[in-house]
């Protein structure tokens, strides 16, 4: 399927188009923002933990959230494409 090139697509339009193509992308971005927000809040109460160790743990949590959302999105897409495909759609 070839589509016409989009002229002067704004960032909001691009985000809306990508969200429609991949519905779990905004969930991954929201999860990333949530992990970073919680991390910023917990940074003040980290106790004796060094900053570098705290930031490394925060990075792993943020990456894990995004990877989990992308994996669920891929599984959702594959399920819709291969498992739930109707016989008349072929």
């Amino acid at each position: 399927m070839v589509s016409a090139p989009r002229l002067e697509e704004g960032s909001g339009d691009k985000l809306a188009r990508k969200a429609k193509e991949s519905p779990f992308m905004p969930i991954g971005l929201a999860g990333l923002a949530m992990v970073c927000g919680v991390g910023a809040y917990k940074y003040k109460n980290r106790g004796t933990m060094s900053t570098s160790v705290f930031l490394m743990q925060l990075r792993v949590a943020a990456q894990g959230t995004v990877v989990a959302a992308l994996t669920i999105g891929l599984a959702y897409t594959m399920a819709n494409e291969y498992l739930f495909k109707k016989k008349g759609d072929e």
Side-chain angles (χ1 to χ4, degrees):
M1 179 168 26
V2 177
S3 61
R6 292 174 175 81
L7 301 174
E8 299 298 322
E9 183 178 36
S11 60
D13 296 331
K14 185 175 181 180
L15 182 63
R17 180 175 52 83
K18 290 286 187 181
K20 185 180 278 188
E21 291 172 3
S22 175
F24 284 89
M25 185 198 62
I27 295 170
L29 290 173
L32 173 65
M34 185 178 70
V35 167
C36 289
V38 169
Y41 176 74
K42 287 188 172 187
Y43 181 73
K44 286 186 169 185
N45 303 320
R46 69 184 187 280
T48 60
M49 184 186 302
S50 69
T51 300
S52 63
V53 171
F54 179 81
L55 290 176
M56 188 157 314
Q57 289 178 351
L58 180 63
R59 178 184 63 88
V60 169
Q63 285 177 333
T65 303
V66 172
V67 168
L70 290 175
T71 303
I72 292 169
L74 179 63
Y76 172 77
T77 302
M78 288 178 66
N80 278 342
E81 201 168 309
Y82 297 111
L83 296 177
F84 305 126
K85 186 190 303 185
K86 294 180 180 134
K87 295 288 182 188
D89 290 345
E90 295 176 359

